[in-house]
Amino acid sequence: MVDDPRAGGPGGGPGTLEPTPGGERDWLRFRDDPAPDEPVVTLDTFLDQSNASSVLIEAGDDVRRLAPVLDRVRLVEIDFPKFRDGRGFSSARVLREMGYEGEIKATGEVLVDLIYFMRRCGFDSFAPHVPLDRAEVEAVLNRYPHVYQHAADAAVPIWQLRHG
Amino acid sequence: MYKYDQYDQAMVDARVEDFRDQTRRRLEGKMTDDQFKPLRLKNGLYLQLHAYMLRVAIPYGTLNSRQMRKLAHIARTYDRGYGHFTTRQNIQYNWIKLEDAPDILAELATVEMHAIQTSGESIRNISADQYAGAAADEIIDPRPWAEMIRQMTTFMPEFSYLPRKFKIAVIAAEADRAALRWHDCALRIVQNEAGEIGFEVFAGGGMGRTPFIAYRIREFLPTDQILSYLQAILRVWNRNARRDNIHKQRMKILVHELGEDEFRRQVEEEFQHFLALGEDFPQAEYDRIAAYFAPPPFETDLSEEIDRSDPDFALWADHQVAAHKAPGYAIVNISLKPIGQIPGDISAEQMELVADLAERYSFDELRATHAQNLVLPHVRKQDLHAIWTALHEAGLGEANLDLVTDIIACPGLDYCSLANARSIPVAQKIAERFADAERQKDLGELKIKISGCINACGHHHAGHIGILGVDRKGTENYQLLLGGSGDEETSQAKITGPGFDEAGIVDAVERAVERYREIREPGERFLDTYRRVGMDGFKEAIYG
C-alpha cells in the first residue's frame, strides 16, 4: 500500500500553495529553462507568421501540421475547453513523437486527477483556469509506482522491468 | 489462469488508494459531483435510481474459486446478499454505499480483482469466448493476448479521456460466442495458409441508439503487432471523433462517417508509425503470460460415457454441456436464468456453491458469459451427474441454455437511472409463459434480448427476438424486433411495427414464436425461418 502522501509527500506537506505574487504558479511548470513570454497565436496564424514562436493548439487542431516548422516552436499551449475533451492528450504525445522538446502547456479545464496522465503524454507545464491544490497535485503525481506502457515520458513499462 | 506479480499487485493497490483519496475529496466537498462523476465512472461506480452500483471487472470472463468467494463475501457484507452478472462478463452490485466503495476495492485487490475502467469513457473490460482454453473448436487460447491488451490499456495516458466507451473482444474459433462484431474493436484469431496465426480485425461495431455491425478492417495481422494496431485505432478515433454530441462520439459513428476505407487508411498510416516506436510487448512477455494459460493437467483414459438413466439429468446434460477439446472432459454451462428469476442474478450462497464446484471439479476455474450465465470449463464427464445434483439443489439446475427462457435483460427501470421501461418483469413473464421444458426443447435455439431503453444494454439489436422498452407518453411501451444475431452470422434485428404494453408484448412474442412453429422447415431455428421468410412472414401473425 502507498502511504498517504498528504502526510508529507515530496516537496511539501498538506495545504494549498498560494500563487506567487506575480500570479504565476511556477510549481506547475516542470522545466528549468526560462518560460517563453511571447503570446501564443492560433495554429493557422503561427504557420503564416514565420517569426512566431508560441502556438495555441485548440481541440481539433492537427499538431502534425507543425512538423515543417518545429524548429522555431518554443511553446505549445494545448487547450482543454472542457475536461471531457481528451484530444489534447494525443496532441501532446504526437508532438513529443515528432521530436519536439520545448514546453507543452495545458490550459483550460485541467483537473488534478488528469495531471498525472498529462505529464506522461509530454505536458510539462499547466495553467488551469481553476487553481489546483499543490498537495493534491503532488499526491496524484506520485501515486502510481509503475506504468504498463510507453508514453512520452521516460517511465519504463512493467513489461520491460519484467524482462530486464 | 493469470496470476498477478508484484507489479500488477502494486498497480491495483495504488488504484485503491487513488480512489480512496478521490472519494474522500468528494465527501469533503472538495470536488463537485460533476468533477467526481467521471472519476468514479472510470472505476465502475454508477449512481443508479436507488443507490450506487459498483461494477467489478472479470477480465475475459475468467475467475477462480477464491475470487468467487470474495464476490460472495462482498455481496453479503456490502450489498443485499446477491450480485448480478452482466453482458460484459462482469459482475455488478446494485446497493452500494459510496463511503464503502474504497473498502470494497481494497477487498477485491486481495484476490487480484478491481473495478478499473469498467465504465465511463474508457477502454472497458476485455471480453472473450467463455469457452477459451476449453472449446473443441478453437485454434489457440486467446486469453494471453486479452491479458496483454488488459495491461497495455490500463491507465493508458493518451486515452485518458476518450470520446466514449471502447469495447474490445477476442476469440479464437469460427463459432462466435462473444458477439464479436457488436464491439468497437473485435479480434478473431485465424490461421493463414502458411499455418501462422494472426488476428482478423473488426472495427466500428456497437449497439446503443445507432447500431452498427463492425467492419472487417484487417484480414490478417501478425499477433506480435496487435498492441501497435490497437493504439493506431484508438489514436485515429481520439483525434477525429466528434466531441459536440455525446450520442455521436462512439467509434462506430466515426468509422461510418469517414467510411470504412478512409478509416482503414488512417489506421494503417498510424500503425506504421507505432510499429516504429516499438510499442508491442516482446515475445518473452507473451511467453510469460501464456504460461499461466497452459492447459490444466487433464487426465487421460477417461470414460466418454454419460449415464443418462436419470431423465432430469439427461435433459440438463443435453442443453447445458458443450464439447471440450480434451477427451473425457466437458464444458458445463450453469444457467443464471431460473424461470421467474432475474436474469444474471446470483445469491452469495450460490456463488459459494459454484466456487466449491469449480475447485473440486474444474481445476479451480470459472467463466462468466456475455449471456449472463456461468461456466465450469473443464469437468470430467464422469462428474457431470454429481455437478448437476449440486446445482439442482441450489436452484441452479435450469436446463435452458440458448433456449427461449435464457433471456438477456438489462436492469431496466427497476434499477437504472437511464431506463425508460422495466426489463426484468418482462423477462420474468416471458420465461413463465414458456416455462414448459418440452415446449422450450421443441422451439430450440431462440435468443430473446431485452433492453429498457435505447442504450441497448440488453442487446435487443442482437436478439433473434429483441424487445426495446420505451416511454410512450408516460407509460411503458415495448417494441418488438426480429432477426438479430450476435454469432458468426451477425445481423441487426428489425422492428416489427407498433409497440405493445407489458402484457401485450408477452402475447406478441408468443404469436411470433407460434408463427415460427407453423412455418418452420425441418431443422430450422427461429432465426433461420425469419431469414427465409422475412418480416412479412411474421407481421400478420403478430398484428392480425
Side-chain angles (χ1 to χ4, degrees):
Chain A
M1 292 284 164
V2 176
D3 290 329
D4 185 351
R6 290 176 313 279
T16 305
L17 187 93
E18 293 303 319
T20 52
E24 193 181 7
R25 292 185 288 275
D26 274 343
W27 59 276
L28 280 172
R29 188 166 189 273
F30 297 81
R31 298 180 65 90
D32 296 331
D33 58 347
D37 51 9
E38 187 199 320
V40 291
V41 295
T42 63
L43 178 58
D44 282 335
T45 307
F46 187 88
L47 293 171
D48 284 345
Q49 290 179 357
S50 59
N51 60 345
S53 67
S54 296
V55 58
L56 171 68
I57 297 296
E58 293 168 283
D61 285 345
D62 187 345
V63 291
R64 292 176 297 181
R65 293 175 64 203
L66 284 172
V69 295
L70 211 53
D71 54 357
R72 68 173 159 96
V73 184
R74 287 199 58 219
L75 169 67
V76 181
E77 261 187 37
I78 298 180
D79 184 51
F80 289 82
K82 48 187 178 179
F83 69 81
R84 304 182 69 92
D85 189 333
R87 283 177 283 191
F89 290 90
S90 285
S91 297
R93 188 173 176 211
V94 168
L95 276 170
R96 294 301 184 207
E97 285 168 2
M98 285 159 57
Y100 174 67
E101 292 178 355
E103 181 169 344
I104 304 181
K105 182 190 283 187
T107 62
E109 198 168 4
V110 176
L111 299 189
V112 63
D113 291 278
L114 294 176
I115 281 206
Y116 169 70
F117 300 106
M118 288 178 165
R119 289 285 291 133
R120 292 212 63 210
C121 286
F123 286 97
D124 52 14
S125 73
F126 301 88
H129 283 166
V130 178
L132 302 178
D133 180 298
R134 184 172 186 173
E136 282 175 11
V137 170
E138 278 164 1
V140 164
L141 288 178
N142 291 300
R143 177 140 295 141
Y144 287 95
H146 303 292
V147 301
Y148 270 119
Q149 62 293 94
H150 280 136
D153 58 354
V156 179
I158 287 171
W159 62 262
Q160 232 163 322
L161 297 175
R162 282 174 177 144
H163 300 285
Chain B
M1 59 182 275
Y2 187 68
K3 277 184 75 67
Y4 283 6
D5 65 3
Q6 77 269 27
Y7 299 112
D8 297 310
Q9 190 65 50
M11 292 297 278
V12 168
D13 289 343
R15 182 64 182 118
V16 173
E17 291 314 305
D18 196 19
F19 192 71
R20 194 181 292 285
D21 184 49
Q22 289 169 351
T23 305
R24 178 190 60 79
R25 280 186 277 138
R26 172 65 196 127
L27 290 171
E28 287 175 2
K30 289 189 173 174
M31 232 191 292
T32 65
D33 193 50
D34 235 27
Q35 292 169 333
F36 182 56
K37 187 177 169 191
L39 301 176
R40 66 171 161 77
L41 284 181
K42 281 190 185 181
N43 216 50
L45 198 65
Y46 277 81
L47 186 56
Q48 298 282 50
L49 283 176
H50 314 292
Y52 280 97
M53 178 273 275
L54 179 68
R55 183 181 293 150
V56 177
I58 302 174
Y60 30 91
T62 296
L63 71 170
N64 62 27
S65 63
R66 190 166 147 252
Q67 292 172 323
M68 189 62 125
R69 288 194 188 102
K70 179 61 81 179
L71 296 176
H73 167 74
I74 289 168
R76 201 177 275 128
T77 312
Y78 302 98
D79 202 278
R80 298 187 175 178
Y82 60 94
H84 176 80
F85 282 94
T86 77
T87 55
R88 275 214 81 61
Q89 300 176 293
N90 293 322
I91 186 169
Q92 60 195 41
Y93 298 101
N94 285 314
W95 303 97
I96 295 300
K97 293 191 190 72
L98 175 59
E99 52 271 35
D100 286 342
D103 292 337
I104 300 173
L105 297 178
E107 296 234 27
L108 289 169
T110 65
V111 295
E112 304 177 14
M113 294 185 89
H114 60 76
I116 294 165
Q117 293 170 200
T118 53
S119 55
E121 322 304 10
S122 56
I123 302 166
R124 303 290 188 87
N125 186 38
I126 318 297
S127 61
D129 186 343
Q130 64 269 20
Y131 295 168
D137 61 353
E138 83 179 0
I139 294 171
I140 188 171
D141 191 336
R143 291 174 299 167
W145 289 282
E147 174 58 26
M148 284 203 287
I149 295 168
R150 181 192 77 82
Q151 295 189 20
M152 186 197 66
T153 58
T154 297
F155 310 136
M156 214 175 185
E158 182 176 347
F159 308 117
S160 291
Y161 229 106
L162 286 169
R164 289 288 274 117
K165 58 190 167 188
F166 191 81
K167 298 177 178 178
I168 302 172
V170 189
I171 69 169
E174 192 79 42
D176 179 1
R177 292 173 281 261
L180 211 59
R181 293 181 68 191
W182 289 108
H183 284 77
D184 294 281
C185 181
L187 308 170
R188 190 167 77 89
I189 291 176
V190 292
Q191 203 156 16
N192 68 11
E193 283 170 3
E196 298 153 338
I197 60 161
F199 288 106
E200 186 181 21
V201 184
F202 300 88
M207 299 205 209
R209 65 185 68 204
T210 320
F212 282 105
I213 294 168
Y215 300 92
R216 185 169 73 174
I217 60 164
R218 247 294 179 139
E219 270 180 59
F220 190 87
L221 177 76
T223 51
D224 59 0
Q225 298 177 353
I226 185 61
L227 301 183
S228 287
Y229 200 82
L230 274 176
Q231 290 203 71
I233 289 173
L234 284 160
R235 178 174 284 178
V236 167
W237 176 45
N238 192 46
R239 186 158 58 205
N240 291 324
R242 294 172 59 163
R243 302 276 178 163
D244 59 333
N245 179 344
I246 196 161
H247 302 306
K248 306 270 186 200
Q249 293 174 193
R250 285 284 294 273
M251 196 174 82
K252 61 192 176 182
I253 306 287
L254 177 71
V255 177
H256 178 70
E257 285 181 355
L258 282 180
E260 181 190 345
D261 292 333
E262 173 59 14
F263 180 78
R264 182 187 292 113
R265 188 194 66 74
Q266 292 196 24
V267 169
E268 290 291 332
E269 181 186 322
E270 208 60 57
F271 171 52
Q272 294 307 321
H273 172 77
F274 276 113
L275 272 184
L277 290 176
E279 300 284 311
D280 286 282
F281 291 5
Q283 181 67 30
E285 179 62 355
Y286 169 80
D287 292 342
R288 185 191 75 87
I289 293 172
Y292 289 113
F293 294 98
F298 294 121
E299 293 170 47
T300 52
D301 302 324
L302 289 175
S303 166
E304 296 288 340
E305 286 303 308
I306 300 174
D307 177 359
R308 300 172 50 87
S309 54
D310 178 342
D312 289 341
F313 165 71
L315 178 74
W316 175 84
D318 285 344
H319 289 298
Q320 299 300 117
V321 174
H324 197 284
K325 63 168 129 188
Y329 282 85
I331 299 169
V332 166
N333 287 277
I334 300 172
S335 175
L336 298 184
K337 317 290 176 67
I339 305 297
Q341 302 295 307
I342 297 173
D345 269 20
I346 180 170
S347 71
E349 293 70 30
Q350 288 173 326
M351 288 185 218
E352 283 162 348
L353 172 95
V354 169
D356 291 345
L357 293 177
E359 192 170 29
R360 182 160 175 200
Y361 296 112
S362 185
F363 295 100
D364 204 26
E365 244 193 72
L366 279 163
R367 308 289 173 77
T369 84
H370 90 273
Q372 303 179 285
N373 291 310
L374 295 174
V375 167
L376 294 167
H378 312 294
V379 304
R380 299 187 303 186
K381 285 181 179 168
Q382 65 195 51
D383 293 330
L384 285 171
H385 191 274
I387 290 169
W388 170 75
T389 305
L391 289 172
H392 182 67
E393 284 170 4
L396 293 170
E398 201 68 49
N400 60 356
L401 184 71
D402 294 339
L403 301 183
V404 62
T405 62
D406 185 8
I407 298 169
I408 289 181
C410 72
L413 198 53
D414 290 295
Y415 293 102
C416 180
S417 52
L418 301 173
N420 298 120
R422 289 166 303 154
S423 308
I424 293 167
V426 174
Q428 290 168 320
K429 290 195 171 80
I430 292 171
E432 280 157 7
R433 179 73 60 92
F434 291 97
D436 181 74
E438 283 304 316
R439 189 181 187 190
Q440 291 194 59
K441 189 175 174 180
D442 173 61
L443 294 173
E445 184 185 301
L446 209 178
K447 299 184 180 183
I448 298 184
K449 304 180 197 252
I450 307 173
S451 304
C453 80
I454 50 174
N455 290 312
C457 298
H459 292 188
H460 64 272
H461 298 301
H464 299 177
I465 295 179
I467 295 172
L468 167 62
V470 295
D471 176 86
R472 195 157 151 267
K473 296 175 190 153
T475 57
E476 292 163 288
N477 189 266
Y478 296 91
Q479 292 178 347
L480 183 65
L481 300 91
L482 301 179
S485 169
D487 69 10
E488 57 279 10
E489 290 175 64
T490 307
S491 55
Q492 184 192 328
K494 291 191 172 63
I495 294 177
T496 56
F500 304 88
D501 64 14
E502 189 183 314
I505 188 68
V506 181
D507 293 336
V509 166
E510 188 166 33
R511 289 195 295 274
V513 169
E514 286 306 312
R515 175 65 178 160
Y516 152 70
R517 244 167 41 82
E518 282 164 32
I519 63 173
R520 67 183 168 187
E521 290 184 351
E524 269 186 352
R525 302 169 301 164
F526 179 93
L527 184 61
D528 302 323
T529 302
Y530 173 83
R531 284 176 175 166
R532 178 171 55 81
V533 305
M535 190 63 86
D536 288 345
F538 282 88
K539 213 161 177 176
E540 204 186 316
I542 294 167
Y543 291 99

